[in-house]
Amino acid sequence: MALKRILLIISILHADSFHANHRFPGQSSRPRHLSQIQRHETHDNDRRDNSYESSASSIKAIVSSLTSISNFFSLSSQQQQRQTPSFETRISAAPSRTPPNTSAELLERIREDYARNNYLWTGKLDTSSFTQNCKFTDPTISFEGVDKYVRNVENLVPVVDFLLGKEPTSKSELLEIRSNKEEGYIETRWNMVGELNILPWKPRIDVIGRTKFWYQTSKDGKGGKDAVRVYLYDETWEIPAGLALLQLVTPAGTIANSTIAN
C-alpha cells in the first residue's frame, strides 16, 4: 500500500544532497532529513515490528505532507480524468466483481493481488473485497476509505513507473499467507523488491513486511449470500520506516530487509 509513498521522499533527499554539494562556508554537509531519519534508527530498531503507532512522528509527517501535495496537484487534471476510465476501473484488479462469499475465497483473492497484480508496486487491489470505509494503515500513513486509497494510488503510480524505468524489475513476493478464522483476519508476510533504474545511483528497495486483512461478514452478497469484506488493512514492516527511506540513498544491499531474527 503506502510503501510506495517512500518513493516521494526522493525529492526531499535529492534536494538535501544538492544543498550539501553547494553549501556556504561553515554550513553542515550532513543532509538535514537524513539526520532526522537516523536519529530514530536506534530507537526503532529495538522494536520487533514497525507499525504506524511506533514510527517516528517526523517520518509520518513527511510522508503525509507529500501525499497531500501530490493529491493537491492532481486536481488540475480532473477534467481529463472525467474523460477517461474511472479511478477504480484503472486501479482495481476487478472493480465490478462481486465480493467473496467465504474467508477462503477472500484469501485466494488476496493471494492473487500479490502473485498476479504485483499490488505493492502497482496498487492494484480487488476493491470488491474491501468495505467502502475500510481503514488503511502502514508505518507511514493512516486513512479511511477505498475511494481515498484509489485516489492516493492513482497519483503515485506515474511517479513509481517513472522511477522503475523502461525495464522494471519490481515484485511483490508472497512469503506466507494464513487465515485466523477465530479472530477474523488473513495475514500475509511479503517481500517488496524493486530497483529504481532511472536514478543514477540505482537504489534498491527491499523491505519485508506483514499485513493483516481484518474482515467481517454481512448478508448483502449477490442473491442474499454472505459477503466477506476487509474492514481494516494493517501493514507493518520488519525494518524501521527510517531505514526503509535510507535505502533510497545507499548502495543496494547496504540495509537489510528485516531486523527480525528467523
Side-chain angles (χ1 to χ4, degrees), residues 3-261:
L3 251 172
K4 292 191 297 304
R5 286 168 178 75
I6 66 177
L7 303 181
L8 292 180
I9 307 298
I10 288 178
S11 59
I12 288 181
L13 298 176
H14 183 71
D16 277 336
S17 298
F18 175 85
H19 290 303
N21 293 329
H22 300 81
R23 62 185 183 277
F24 294 104
Q27 181 181 351
S28 172
S29 61
R30 183 73 179 158
R32 175 168 50 90
H33 290 87
L34 291 184
S35 298
Q36 290 177 346
I37 290 171
Q38 286 200 318
R39 271 201 297 270
H40 297 283
E41 282 182 27
T42 302
H43 172 72
D44 286 346
N45 230 1
D46 293 335
R47 299 181 183 273
R48 179 166 177 80
D49 61 2
N50 294 278
S51 62
Y52 183 76
E53 289 74 17
S54 67
S55 290
S57 57
S58 59
I59 299 296
K60 292 184 285 192
I62 290 173
V63 174
S64 178
S65 297
L66 287 173
T67 301
S68 297
I69 291 171
S70 173
N71 289 342
F72 174 79
F73 282 109
S74 74
L75 294 177
S76 62
S77 62
Q78 280 187 347
Q79 182 62 37
Q80 179 183 357
Q81 290 165 352
R82 293 191 189 102
Q83 300 170 357
T84 57
S86 68
F87 285 161
E88 190 165 346
T89 299
R90 282 177 284 164
I91 296 302
S92 174
S96 60
R97 204 173 184 180
T98 58
N101 299 131
T102 65
S103 60
E105 184 180 353
L106 175 62
L107 184 148
E108 290 307 317
R109 293 198 190 187
I110 291 172
R111 186 197 305 275
E112 187 177 77
D113 283 336
Y114 288 92
R116 180 178 297 180
N117 300 324
N118 192 20
Y119 96 90
L120 291 173
W121 288 97
T122 66
K124 290 184 178 180
L125 280 175
D126 181 354
T127 53
S128 66
S129 298
F130 293 77
T131 63
Q132 280 300 306
N133 62 345
C134 179
K135 183 176 182 179
F136 294 86
T137 300
D138 78 5
T140 64
I141 200 167
S142 180
F143 60 88
E144 291 188 8
V146 168
D147 289 344
K148 189 168 185 178
Y149 168 82
V150 171
R151 184 168 64 252
N152 287 344
V153 171
E154 171 75 11
N155 297 333
L156 291 170
V157 163
V159 178
V160 174
D161 289 345
F162 172 76
L163 293 173
L164 289 173
K166 294 182 179 179
E167 297 182 2
T169 55
S170 64
K171 63 179 180 178
S172 305
E173 183 180 359
L174 183 61
L175 304 177
E176 300 173 26
I177 185 168
R178 67 184 185 91
S179 176
N180 186 324
K181 293 183 179 180
E182 290 74 21
E183 296 190 36
Y185 66 79
I186 292 168
E187 182 176 28
T188 61
R189 185 170 183 259
W190 44 262
N191 189 188
M192 180 183 185
V193 182
E195 297 175 359
L196 307 185
N197 298 311
I198 201 67
L199 299 175
W201 60 96
K202 299 188 183 303
R204 178 181 174 89
I205 302 299
D206 186 358
V207 177
I208 291 179
R210 296 175 183 268
T211 304
K212 284 186 177 180
F213 299 82
W214 293 85
Y215 62 82
Q216 61 189 22
T217 302
S218 60
K219 289 290 185 181
D220 60 344
K222 187 175 181 180
K225 294 182 179 180
D226 287 346
V228 180
R229 297 186 181 94
V230 176
Y231 68 88
L232 172 60
Y233 174 108
D234 186 15
E235 180 179 303
T236 60
W237 305 344
E238 293 186 8
I239 59 174
L243 288 181
L245 298 183
L246 286 176
Q247 288 186 346
L248 297 169
V249 291
T250 53
T254 301
I255 298 174
N257 59 14
S258 174
T259 57
I260 297 177

